[in-house]
Amino acid sequence: MHHRTRSRRSAVTGAALAATGALLLTGCNDGGQAAAKDPVQEIRAKLPKAQRSAGALRIGMDVNYAPVEFRGPDGKPAGLDPEIATALGKILDVRVELVDTPFDKLIPSLQSKQYDVAMSALSDIQKRREGLDDSGKQVGPGVDFVDYFIAGTSIVVPKGNPKGIKTLDDLCGRTVALQQGTTQDEIITRQVAVCARTGRQLTPHKFDSDTKALAEVASGAAAAGVNDFPVAAYAAKSTDGGSRFEVTGAQSTSNPYGIAFRKGDTELRDTLAKAVDQLIRSGEYDKILAKWGVQAGAAQNAVVNGGI
């Protein structure tokens, strides 16, 4: 459960999954003049040579976080991020290749150039932008983000909310389940200190996947879980026909999801920002969000490094 400030999956690391590719658009133009005014053609013209020559954009993604990214019944990647990625590939006229990677390895693998960008419900936060560890020590070069979706943190409890939990303070004196390495991990770490001052200890149970954290809540071993609102809402709606969980209280700490780039890849970053804007303007972005029931997180436009 998390802000994919998370670490979600463990299987199939490094397997490159071809999402639906985007194919050549042959436009008719008047001596090239119409094409010059076509925003899609202008965006394509700015795509760096490396991706244009390869005809592909390789994206690191932890495909284990429904409904943002997960495997559908056919085993292929499905959800918000794969569909947005595929739509961006069509705008850029390149094939999209998803490289399945554990969440906590996404940024290190990006830095070691195992793919071009990372897109996996990654919250755009200062720590990631500046390459800092939990203590504020510089441990890496950091990344740039192109923000494309807004997600707050939600609390998931058993159906009926038997403990009457509505706020983070209500977690004091209880056990909470979450995915390690996520935004929720940071939120709960801060809340542990808050609860300690009240003399009511908050005990976090941290897991390497949201599925395991949710199972902890379902079993009663944890009083609640914390997660990004799209994931929390999806779990409440879909698990056991909606009879297992509910989302309680209001969202807190809204942060944008961002596509992550190596600091030096400004040309690719700025081209993807324009592609996100084009996707939003076209109306396709809203259709994708509506399909997954996450319209509440719609961004109005792409923003570079807009997180808190």
Side-chain angles (χ1 to χ4, degrees):
M1 326 198 25
H2 91 130
H3 227 107
R4 246 139 107 145
T5 299
R6 307 161 292 175
S7 142
R8 315 167 236 181
R9 85 166 307 59
S10 356
V12 210
T13 303
L17 308 160
T20 328
L23 301 161
L24 287 173
L25 186 81
T26 51
C28 52
N29 55 61
D30 307 323
Q33 306 219 341
K37 295 178 183 177
D38 180 347
V40 172
Q41 295 292 353
E42 290 181 356
I43 293 167
R44 289 178 182 176
K46 294 181 184 299
L47 187 67
K49 183 179 178 182
Q51 287 76 33
R52 210 164 52 237
S53 299
L57 181 70
R58 287 171 56 79
I59 301 177
M61 185 178 291
D62 180 14
V63 189
N64 186 31
Y65 199 56
V68 188
E69 49 255 328
F70 63 104
R71 293 188 181 280
D74 59 0
K76 295 179 180 178
L80 180 70
D81 279 353
E83 290 197 17
I84 289 177
T86 297
L88 292 173
K90 289 178 180 176
I91 291 171
L92 297 169
D93 190 23
V94 293
R95 183 177 68 255
V96 168
E97 296 177 359
L98 303 184
V99 183
D100 202 352
T101 306
F103 190 80
D104 56 358
K105 300 292 191 299
L106 282 167
I107 289 179
S109 297
L110 174 65
Q111 301 292 14
S112 63
K113 300 188 176 181
Q114 293 184 34
Y115 31 75
D116 301 308
V117 303
M119 181 181 184
S120 193
L122 276 164
S123 297
D124 174 359
I125 54 174
Q126 181 182 12
K127 186 177 80 171
R128 289 185 175 141
R129 292 193 301 270
E130 298 183 5
L132 309 178
D133 66 11
D134 289 340
S135 66
K137 178 184 176 184
Q138 187 87 36
V139 292
V143 295
D144 283 339
F145 284 102
V146 169
D147 302 336
Y148 63 95
F149 182 82
I150 310 300
T153 287
S154 294
I155 300 173
V156 177
V157 295
K159 192 77 171 181
N161 195 7
K163 306 287 188 186
I165 294 168
K166 294 184 178 178
T167 68
L168 290 174
D169 287 344
D170 293 336
L171 298 175
C172 295
R174 305 189 187 281
T175 297
V176 63
L178 63 142
Q179 186 172 14
Q180 63 192 9
T182 64
T183 296
Q184 286 71 36
D185 197 345
E186 296 183 4
I187 290 170
I188 292 302
T189 296
R190 291 194 297 268
Q191 190 63 27
V192 165
V194 171
C195 291
R197 291 195 289 272
T198 72
R200 297 164 61 231
Q201 180 180 351
L202 168 59
T203 303
H205 283 187
K206 301 182 183 183
F207 299 90
D208 61 5
S209 76
D210 286 312
T211 302
K212 292 176 183 176
L214 276 171
E216 186 91 340
V217 180
S219 73
V226 285
N227 213 329
D228 292 352
F229 96 81
V231 179
Y234 185 82
K237 179 180 178 181
S238 63
T239 306
D240 294 342
S243 65
R244 178 67 66 179
F245 302 116
E246 66 182 69
V247 177
T248 184
Q251 288 184 52
S252 61
T253 318
S254 291
N255 257 321
Y257 287 165
I259 304 169
F261 300 77
R262 291 181 290 272
K263 284 287 187 184
D265 286 347
T266 53
E267 189 179 7
L268 180 60
R269 180 198 71 192
D270 294 346
T271 301
L272 262 292
K274 289 182 172 65
V276 169
D277 280 339
Q278 176 61 29
L279 186 65
I280 293 171
R281 283 195 300 268
S282 73
E284 185 67 19
Y285 173 83
D286 286 338
K287 290 179 184 176
I288 294 171
L289 267 58
K291 176 179 176 179
W292 297 104
V294 294
Q295 302 94 312
Q300 299 306 305
N301 57 275
V303 177
V304 174
N305 296 330
I308 298 170

Short mmCIF file of all heavy atoms in Angstrom, two decimals, residues 180-237:
data_model
loop_
_atom_site.label_atom_id
_atom_site.label_comp_id
_atom_site.label_asym_id
_atom_site.label_seq_id
_atom_site.Cartn_x
_atom_site.Cartn_y
_atom_site.Cartn_z
N GLN A 180 7.24 -1.07 1.71
CA GLN A 180 8.46 -0.34 2.04
C GLN A 180 8.96 0.46 0.84
O GLN A 180 8.70 0.13 -0.30
CB GLN A 180 9.55 -1.31 2.50
CG GLN A 180 9.97 -2.30 1.44
CD GLN A 180 10.83 -3.42 1.99
OE1 GLN A 180 10.98 -3.55 3.21
NE2 GLN A 180 11.39 -4.23 1.11
N GLY A 181 9.66 1.55 1.14
CA GLY A 181 10.23 2.37 0.09
C GLY A 181 9.25 3.29 -0.60
O GLY A 181 9.56 3.89 -1.62
N THR A 182 8.05 3.43 -0.04
CA THR A 182 7.02 4.23 -0.68
C THR A 182 6.84 5.56 0.04
O THR A 182 7.40 5.79 1.10
CB THR A 182 5.68 3.48 -0.65
OG1 THR A 182 5.30 3.32 0.73
CG2 THR A 182 5.80 2.11 -1.28
N THR A 183 6.01 6.42 -0.53
CA THR A 183 5.64 7.66 0.14
C THR A 183 5.00 7.34 1.48
O THR A 183 5.22 7.99 2.48
CB THR A 183 4.65 8.47 -0.71
OG1 THR A 183 5.29 8.85 -1.92
CG2 THR A 183 4.16 9.71 0.01
N GLN A 184 4.18 6.29 1.47
CA GLN A 184 3.52 5.89 2.71
C GLN A 184 4.53 5.49 3.78
O GLN A 184 4.30 5.70 4.97
CB GLN A 184 2.55 4.74 2.44
CG GLN A 184 1.28 5.16 1.74
CD GLN A 184 1.47 5.54 0.30
OE1 GLN A 184 2.28 4.95 -0.39
NE2 GLN A 184 0.73 6.52 -0.18
N ASP A 185 5.63 4.90 3.35
CA ASP A 185 6.70 4.54 4.29
C ASP A 185 7.20 5.80 5.00
O ASP A 185 7.38 5.83 6.23
CB ASP A 185 7.84 3.86 3.51
CG ASP A 185 8.80 3.09 4.41
OD1 ASP A 185 8.78 3.31 5.64
OD2 ASP A 185 9.58 2.29 3.88
N GLU A 186 7.38 6.86 4.24
CA GLU A 186 7.85 8.12 4.83
C GLU A 186 6.78 8.74 5.73
O GLU A 186 7.08 9.23 6.82
CB GLU A 186 8.21 9.11 3.72
CG GLU A 186 9.37 8.65 2.85
CD GLU A 186 9.76 9.68 1.82
OE1 GLU A 186 9.17 10.79 1.82
OE2 GLU A 186 10.65 9.39 1.01
N ILE A 187 5.54 8.69 5.29
CA ILE A 187 4.45 9.26 6.09
C ILE A 187 4.32 8.54 7.42
O ILE A 187 4.19 9.16 8.49
CB ILE A 187 3.12 9.19 5.30
CG1 ILE A 187 3.14 10.17 4.12
CG2 ILE A 187 1.93 9.47 6.21
CD1 ILE A 187 1.99 10.00 3.16
N ILE A 188 4.38 7.21 7.38
CA ILE A 188 4.23 6.44 8.61
C ILE A 188 5.45 6.58 9.51
O ILE A 188 5.33 6.60 10.74
CB ILE A 188 3.93 4.96 8.29
CG1 ILE A 188 2.54 4.85 7.65
CG2 ILE A 188 4.01 4.09 9.54
CD1 ILE A 188 1.40 5.39 8.51
N THR A 189 6.63 6.73 8.93
CA THR A 189 7.83 6.98 9.74
C THR A 189 7.66 8.26 10.55
O THR A 189 7.98 8.31 11.75
CB THR A 189 9.08 7.07 8.85
OG1 THR A 189 9.28 5.80 8.20
CG2 THR A 189 10.32 7.42 9.66
N ARG A 190 7.12 9.29 9.91
CA ARG A 190 6.86 10.54 10.64
C ARG A 190 5.78 10.35 11.69
O ARG A 190 5.86 10.86 12.81
CB ARG A 190 6.45 11.66 9.66
CG ARG A 190 7.56 12.13 8.76
CD ARG A 190 7.21 13.44 8.07
NE ARG A 190 6.06 13.34 7.19
CZ ARG A 190 6.15 13.06 5.89
NH1 ARG A 190 7.32 12.85 5.33
NH2 ARG A 190 5.04 13.00 5.15
N GLN A 191 4.76 9.57 11.35
CA GLN A 191 3.66 9.35 12.27
C GLN A 191 4.09 8.53 13.49
O GLN A 191 3.54 8.72 14.59
CB GLN A 191 2.49 8.67 11.56
CG GLN A 191 1.20 8.60 12.37
CD GLN A 191 0.63 9.98 12.71
OE1 GLN A 191 0.85 10.94 11.98
NE2 GLN A 191 -0.09 10.06 13.82
N VAL A 192 5.05 7.65 13.32
CA VAL A 192 5.59 6.89 14.45
C VAL A 192 6.11 7.85 15.52
O VAL A 192 5.86 7.68 16.73
CB VAL A 192 6.70 5.92 14.00
CG1 VAL A 192 7.50 5.40 15.19
CG2 VAL A 192 6.11 4.75 13.22
N ALA A 193 6.83 8.90 15.06
CA ALA A 193 7.36 9.89 16.01
C ALA A 193 6.23 10.68 16.67
O ALA A 193 6.29 10.97 17.88
CB ALA A 193 8.32 10.83 15.28
N VAL A 194 5.20 11.02 15.88
CA VAL A 194 4.05 11.74 16.45
C VAL A 194 3.38 10.90 17.52
O VAL A 194 3.06 11.37 18.62
CB VAL A 194 3.04 12.09 15.33
CG1 VAL A 194 1.75 12.65 15.93
CG2 VAL A 194 3.65 13.10 14.36
N CYS A 195 3.15 9.61 17.21
CA CYS A 195 2.48 8.73 18.16
C CYS A 195 3.32 8.51 19.41
O CYS A 195 2.77 8.38 20.52
CB CYS A 195 2.16 7.40 17.50
SG CYS A 195 0.88 7.49 16.21
N ALA A 196 4.64 8.46 19.24
CA ALA A 196 5.52 8.23 20.39
C ALA A 196 5.34 9.33 21.43
O ALA A 196 5.41 9.08 22.64
CB ALA A 196 6.97 8.15 19.93
N ARG A 197 5.08 10.56 20.96
CA ARG A 197 4.91 11.68 21.90
C ARG A 197 3.61 11.55 22.69
O ARG A 197 3.47 12.14 23.75
CB ARG A 197 4.95 13.01 21.13
CG ARG A 197 6.34 13.33 20.57
CD ARG A 197 6.44 14.80 20.16
NE ARG A 197 5.66 15.10 18.97
CZ ARG A 197 6.13 14.99 17.72
NH1 ARG A 197 7.36 14.55 17.51
NH2 ARG A 197 5.37 15.31 16.70
N THR A 198 2.68 10.75 22.17
CA THR A 198 1.42 10.56 22.90
C THR A 198 1.49 9.34 23.82
O THR A 198 0.56 9.07 24.58
CB THR A 198 0.25 10.35 21.92
OG1 THR A 198 0.38 9.05 21.31
CG2 THR A 198 0.23 11.42 20.85
N GLY A 199 2.59 8.59 23.72
CA GLY A 199 2.74 7.39 24.53
C GLY A 199 2.01 6.18 23.97
O GLY A 199 1.92 5.14 24.62
N ARG A 200 1.48 6.31 22.74
CA ARG A 200 0.77 5.20 22.10
C ARG A 200 1.52 4.80 20.85
O ARG A 200 1.47 5.46 19.83
CB ARG A 200 -0.67 5.61 21.77
CG ARG A 200 -1.47 5.95 23.03
CD ARG A 200 -2.76 6.71 22.71
NE ARG A 200 -3.64 5.90 21.86
CZ ARG A 200 -4.18 6.34 20.73
NH1 ARG A 200 -3.92 7.56 20.30
NH2 ARG A 200 -4.99 5.56 20.04
N GLN A 201 2.24 3.71 20.94
CA GLN A 201 3.17 3.31 19.88
C GLN A 201 2.44 2.87 18.61
O GLN A 201 1.48 2.09 18.66
CB GLN A 201 4.05 2.16 20.38
CG GLN A 201 5.06 1.68 19.34
CD GLN A 201 5.91 0.53 19.88
OE1 GLN A 201 5.85 0.23 21.07
NE2 GLN A 201 6.68 -0.09 19.01
N LEU A 202 2.91 3.38 17.49
CA LEU A 202 2.45 2.93 16.18
C LEU A 202 3.47 1.91 15.66
O LEU A 202 4.67 2.18 15.61
CB LEU A 202 2.34 4.10 15.21
CG LEU A 202 2.16 3.79 13.72
CD1 LEU A 202 0.91 2.97 13.49
CD2 LEU A 202 2.10 5.07 12.90
N THR A 203 2.98 0.74 15.29
CA THR A 203 3.88 -0.33 14.83
C THR A 203 3.69 -0.55 13.33
O THR A 203 2.62 -1.02 12.90
CB THR A 203 3.58 -1.65 15.57
OG1 THR A 203 3.70 -1.43 16.98
CG2 THR A 203 4.56 -2.73 15.14
N PRO A 204 4.69 -0.19 12.51
CA PRO A 204 4.56 -0.43 11.07
C PRO A 204 5.00 -1.85 10.72
O PRO A 204 6.01 -2.33 11.22
CB PRO A 204 5.51 0.59 10.44
CG PRO A 204 6.27 1.23 11.56
CD PRO A 204 5.89 0.58 12.84
N HIS A 205 4.24 -2.52 9.88
CA HIS A 205 4.65 -3.78 9.28
C HIS A 205 4.92 -3.48 7.80
O HIS A 205 3.99 -3.11 7.07
CB HIS A 205 3.55 -4.83 9.41
CG HIS A 205 3.46 -5.44 10.77
ND1 HIS A 205 2.63 -6.50 11.08
CD2 HIS A 205 4.11 -5.13 11.93
CE1 HIS A 205 2.76 -6.81 12.36
NE2 HIS A 205 3.64 -5.99 12.90
N LYS A 206 6.18 -3.65 7.38
CA LYS A 206 6.57 -3.27 6.03
C LYS A 206 6.79 -4.51 5.17
O LYS A 206 7.40 -5.48 5.61
CB LYS A 206 7.85 -2.43 6.06
CG LYS A 206 7.70 -1.15 6.88
CD LYS A 206 8.97 -0.32 6.84
CE LYS A 206 8.84 0.91 7.72
NZ LYS A 206 10.04 1.78 7.64
N PHE A 207 6.29 -4.43 3.93
CA PHE A 207 6.34 -5.56 3.01
C PHE A 207 6.93 -5.11 1.67
O PHE A 207 7.01 -3.92 1.38
CB PHE A 207 4.95 -6.14 2.81
CG PHE A 207 4.33 -6.66 4.07
CD1 PHE A 207 3.56 -5.83 4.87
CD2 PHE A 207 4.53 -7.97 4.47
CE1 PHE A 207 2.99 -6.30 6.05
CE2 PHE A 207 3.98 -8.45 5.64
CZ PHE A 207 3.21 -7.62 6.44
N ASP A 208 7.31 -6.11 0.87
CA ASP A 208 7.88 -5.76 -0.44
C ASP A 208 6.83 -5.65 -1.53
O ASP A 208 7.14 -5.42 -2.69
CB ASP A 208 8.97 -6.76 -0.85
CG ASP A 208 8.45 -8.18 -0.98
OD1 ASP A 208 7.23 -8.39 -0.85
OD2 ASP A 208 9.26 -9.10 -1.22
N SER A 209 5.56 -5.81 -1.16
CA SER A 209 4.49 -5.62 -2.16
C SER A 209 3.23 -5.15 -1.45
O SER A 209 3.02 -5.42 -0.26
CB SER A 209 4.21 -6.93 -2.92
OG SER A 209 3.46 -7.82 -2.12
N ASP A 210 2.39 -4.49 -2.21
CA ASP A 210 1.09 -4.05 -1.69
C ASP A 210 0.18 -5.23 -1.39
O ASP A 210 -0.61 -5.20 -0.46
CB ASP A 210 0.40 -3.14 -2.69
CG ASP A 210 1.04 -1.78 -2.72
OD1 ASP A 210 1.25 -1.21 -1.66
OD2 ASP A 210 1.33 -1.31 -3.82
N THR A 211 0.31 -6.26 -2.22
CA THR A 211 -0.54 -7.43 -2.03
C THR A 211 -0.34 -8.03 -0.64
O THR A 211 -1.29 -8.39 0.06
CB THR A 211 -0.23 -8.49 -3.11
OG1 THR A 211 -0.43 -7.90 -4.40
CG2 THR A 211 -1.12 -9.70 -2.97
N LYS A 212 0.92 -8.13 -0.23
CA LYS A 212 1.22 -8.69 1.09
C LYS A 212 0.71 -7.77 2.20
O LYS A 212 0.22 -8.23 3.23
CB LYS A 212 2.72 -8.92 1.23
CG LYS A 212 3.25 -10.03 0.33
CD LYS A 212 4.77 -10.15 0.44
CE LYS A 212 5.30 -11.21 -0.51
NZ LYS A 212 6.78 -11.28 -0.48
N ALA A 213 0.85 -6.47 1.99
CA ALA A 213 0.37 -5.52 3.01
C ALA A 213 -1.14 -5.60 3.15
O ALA A 213 -1.69 -5.60 4.26
CB ALA A 213 0.82 -4.11 2.65
N LEU A 214 -1.85 -5.70 2.02
CA LEU A 214 -3.30 -5.82 2.08
C LEU A 214 -3.73 -7.11 2.76
O LEU A 214 -4.71 -7.15 3.51
CB LEU A 214 -3.89 -5.77 0.67
CG LEU A 214 -4.13 -4.39 0.07
CD1 LEU A 214 -4.50 -4.52 -1.40
CD2 LEU A 214 -5.22 -3.64 0.82
N ALA A 215 -2.97 -8.18 2.51
CA ALA A 215 -3.29 -9.46 3.15
C ALA A 215 -3.18 -9.35 4.66
O ALA A 215 -3.94 -9.98 5.40
CB ALA A 215 -2.37 -10.56 2.61
N GLU A 216 -2.23 -8.53 5.13
CA GLU A 216 -2.06 -8.31 6.56
C GLU A 216 -3.29 -7.63 7.16
O GLU A 216 -3.74 -7.95 8.26
CB GLU A 216 -0.82 -7.44 6.78
CG GLU A 216 -0.43 -7.24 8.22
CD GLU A 216 0.55 -8.27 8.74
OE1 GLU A 216 0.66 -9.35 8.12
OE2 GLU A 216 1.18 -8.01 9.75
N VAL A 217 -3.86 -6.70 6.41
CA VAL A 217 -5.08 -6.03 6.87
C VAL A 217 -6.25 -7.01 6.84
O VAL A 217 -7.05 -7.08 7.77
CB VAL A 217 -5.39 -4.79 6.00
CG1 VAL A 217 -6.66 -4.10 6.48
CG2 VAL A 217 -4.21 -3.81 6.02
N ALA A 218 -6.34 -7.77 5.76
CA ALA A 218 -7.45 -8.73 5.62
C ALA A 218 -7.45 -9.76 6.74
O ALA A 218 -8.50 -10.19 7.22
CB ALA A 218 -7.36 -9.42 4.26
N SER A 219 -6.25 -10.16 7.18
CA SER A 219 -6.14 -11.19 8.22
C SER A 219 -6.40 -10.65 9.62
O SER A 219 -6.58 -11.43 10.56
CB SER A 219 -4.75 -11.82 8.18
OG SER A 219 -3.78 -10.90 8.70
N GLY A 220 -6.39 -9.32 9.75
CA GLY A 220 -6.56 -8.71 11.06
C GLY A 220 -5.26 -8.50 11.80
O GLY A 220 -5.24 -7.96 12.91
N ALA A 221 -4.14 -8.91 11.18
CA ALA A 221 -2.83 -8.71 11.82
C ALA A 221 -2.45 -7.24 11.85
O ALA A 221 -1.63 -6.81 12.67
CB ALA A 221 -1.76 -9.52 11.09
N ALA A 222 -3.02 -6.45 10.96
CA ALA A 222 -2.83 -5.00 10.98
C ALA A 222 -4.20 -4.35 11.02
O ALA A 222 -5.15 -4.83 10.38
CB ALA A 222 -2.06 -4.52 9.74
N ALA A 223 -4.31 -3.26 11.78
CA ALA A 223 -5.60 -2.58 11.91
C ALA A 223 -5.95 -1.82 10.64
O ALA A 223 -7.12 -1.58 10.36
CB ALA A 223 -5.56 -1.62 13.10
N ALA A 224 -4.91 -1.43 9.88
CA ALA A 224 -5.14 -0.62 8.69
C ALA A 224 -3.93 -0.71 7.78
O ALA A 224 -2.85 -1.17 8.19
CB ALA A 224 -5.39 0.85 9.07
N GLY A 225 -4.10 -0.27 6.56
CA GLY A 225 -3.00 -0.12 5.63
C GLY A 225 -3.04 1.28 5.04
O GLY A 225 -4.08 1.95 5.10
N VAL A 226 -1.94 1.72 4.49
CA VAL A 226 -1.90 3.03 3.84
C VAL A 226 -1.39 2.85 2.42
O VAL A 226 -0.51 2.04 2.16
CB VAL A 226 -1.03 4.04 4.60
CG1 VAL A 226 -1.73 4.54 5.84
CG2 VAL A 226 0.33 3.45 4.98
N ASN A 227 -1.98 3.62 1.50
CA ASN A 227 -1.66 3.46 0.09
C ASN A 227 -2.05 4.69 -0.70
O ASN A 227 -2.77 5.55 -0.20
CB ASN A 227 -2.42 2.25 -0.46
CG ASN A 227 -1.64 1.53 -1.53
OD1 ASN A 227 -0.88 2.15 -2.25
ND2 ASN A 227 -1.79 0.24 -1.61
N ASP A 228 -1.60 4.74 -1.96
CA ASP A 228 -2.05 5.78 -2.87
C ASP A 228 -3.55 5.62 -3.08
O ASP A 228 -4.06 4.49 -3.16
CB ASP A 228 -1.36 5.65 -4.23
CG ASP A 228 0.11 5.97 -4.17
OD1 ASP A 228 0.57 6.43 -3.12
OD2 ASP A 228 0.80 5.73 -5.18
N PHE A 229 -4.25 6.74 -3.21
CA PHE A 229 -5.70 6.64 -3.30
C PHE A 229 -6.19 5.79 -4.47
O PHE A 229 -7.18 5.06 -4.31
CB PHE A 229 -6.35 8.04 -3.30
CG PHE A 229 -6.68 8.58 -4.66
CD1 PHE A 229 -7.83 8.20 -5.33
CD2 PHE A 229 -5.83 9.49 -5.27
CE1 PHE A 229 -8.14 8.71 -6.59
CE2 PHE A 229 -6.13 10.00 -6.54
CZ PHE A 229 -7.28 9.60 -7.19
N PRO A 230 -5.58 5.80 -5.67
CA PRO A 230 -6.13 4.96 -6.73
C PRO A 230 -6.08 3.48 -6.36
O PRO A 230 -7.00 2.72 -6.66
CB PRO A 230 -5.24 5.25 -7.94
CG PRO A 230 -4.50 6.49 -7.62
CD PRO A 230 -4.41 6.57 -6.13
N VAL A 231 -4.98 3.09 -5.71
CA VAL A 231 -4.80 1.69 -5.36
C VAL A 231 -5.73 1.30 -4.22
O VAL A 231 -6.33 0.22 -4.21
CB VAL A 231 -3.33 1.43 -4.99
CG1 VAL A 231 -3.11 -0.01 -4.60
CG2 VAL A 231 -2.43 1.81 -6.17
N ALA A 232 -5.86 2.20 -3.24
CA ALA A 232 -6.76 1.95 -2.12
C ALA A 232 -8.20 1.80 -2.61
O ALA A 232 -8.92 0.87 -2.21
CB ALA A 232 -6.66 3.09 -1.10
N ALA A 233 -8.62 2.70 -3.48
CA ALA A 233 -9.99 2.65 -4.00
C ALA A 233 -10.23 1.39 -4.81
O ALA A 233 -11.29 0.76 -4.71
CB ALA A 233 -10.26 3.89 -4.85
N TYR A 234 -9.25 0.99 -5.60
CA TYR A 234 -9.37 -0.21 -6.42
C TYR A 234 -9.46 -1.46 -5.54
O TYR A 234 -10.28 -2.35 -5.78
CB TYR A 234 -8.17 -0.32 -7.36
CG TYR A 234 -8.24 -1.45 -8.34
CD1 TYR A 234 -8.97 -1.35 -9.52
CD2 TYR A 234 -7.55 -2.64 -8.10
CE1 TYR A 234 -9.02 -2.39 -10.43
CE2 TYR A 234 -7.60 -3.70 -9.01
CZ TYR A 234 -8.33 -3.56 -10.17
OH TYR A 234 -8.38 -4.60 -11.07
N ALA A 235 -8.64 -1.51 -4.49
CA ALA A 235 -8.67 -2.67 -3.59
C ALA A 235 -10.02 -2.77 -2.90
O ALA A 235 -10.60 -3.86 -2.76
CB ALA A 235 -7.55 -2.55 -2.55
N ALA A 236 -10.55 -1.62 -2.45
CA ALA A 236 -11.84 -1.62 -1.76
C ALA A 236 -12.96 -2.07 -2.70
O ALA A 236 -13.88 -2.79 -2.30
CB ALA A 236 -12.14 -0.23 -1.21
N LYS A 237 -12.88 -1.66 -3.95
CA LYS A 237 -13.95 -1.98 -4.90
C LYS A 237 -13.88 -3.41 -5.41
O LYS A 237 -14.91 -4.07 -5.61
CB LYS A 237 -13.85 -1.01 -6.09
CG LYS A 237 -14.89 -1.25 -7.17
CD LYS A 237 -14.70 -0.25 -8.31
CE LYS A 237 -15.71 -0.51 -9.43
NZ LYS A 237 -15.52 0.44 -10.55
#
